[in-house]
Structure formats: C-alpha cells, structure tokens
Amino acid sequence: MANTSSAKKATRKIAARTDVNRSRRGRVRSYIRKVEEALATGDQAKAAAALKAAEPEIMRAASRGVVHKNTASRKVARLTARVRALAT
C-alpha cells in the first residue's frame, strides 16, 4: 500500500487511466469484430464500410498510447488486405 500522499494520488491516477484505456481497447476490439463479421458474411461493401469506421478508431487508440503505433498499422493493413481480397 502507498504511504505518501503523492504515491496515493499516483495510485488513483493509474486506476483512472486503466479504466479509460480498458474502455478504449474494448472499443477497438468491437470495431475490429464488426469488420471480421462483415468479412465472414462475404459482403465486400459492408466489410469496406466497417473498415472505414474501424481505421480511425484503431489509429486513435495508437495515438493515445493504448496500442503501439506499429501494432495499429499492422492491424489496419491486414484488415485492408482481407477486405480487398474479398473483392476479387
């Protein structure tokens, strides 16, 4: 347990940031799941629309430090490739 007042405050801040980050990570997962579901149906237009909504959310999470920038870029690139492959 924290002893000093500054350590107690730091603990409170960490707990608050954890809640926010957990929420953001959940939002990203939800958007990715929507793209995955659209891909599973085989509907290219629906998948492209879901990807268009998911990409800014994924990159926003990267800019806020929830996921690493390269991880976000990799997820977007792989989803984009799968959506494009659906068109052919």
Side-chain angles (χ1 to χ4, degrees), residues 5 8 14 20 29 32 39 46 50 53 68-69 88:
S5 59
K8 288 176 184 174
I14 290 166
V20 170
R29 287 186 182 134
I32 291 173
L39 286 166
K46 189 176 176 184
H68 194 274
K69 178 182 63 166
T88 58

Side-chain angles (χ1 to χ4, degrees), residues 24-82:
R24 285 191 180 132
R25 201 172 308 116
R27 272 179 66 90
V28 168
R29 287 186 182 134
S30 296
Y31 276 94
I32 291 173
R33 187 176 61 249
K34 287 176 187 171
V35 177
E36 297 278 355
E37 289 170 356
L39 286 166
T41 63
D43 185 359
Q44 205 270 338
K46 189 176 176 184
L51 177 63
K52 189 172 182 179
E55 184 176 355
E57 195 63 38
I58 295 169
M59 297 317 290
R60 191 173 299 121
S63 70
R64 304 266 165 87
V66 179
V67 293
H68 194 274
K69 178 182 63 166
N70 291 357
T71 302
S73 294
R74 185 177 65 244
K75 285 184 186 296
V76 169
R78 288 180 180 173
L79 287 172
T80 303
R82 288 174 63 192

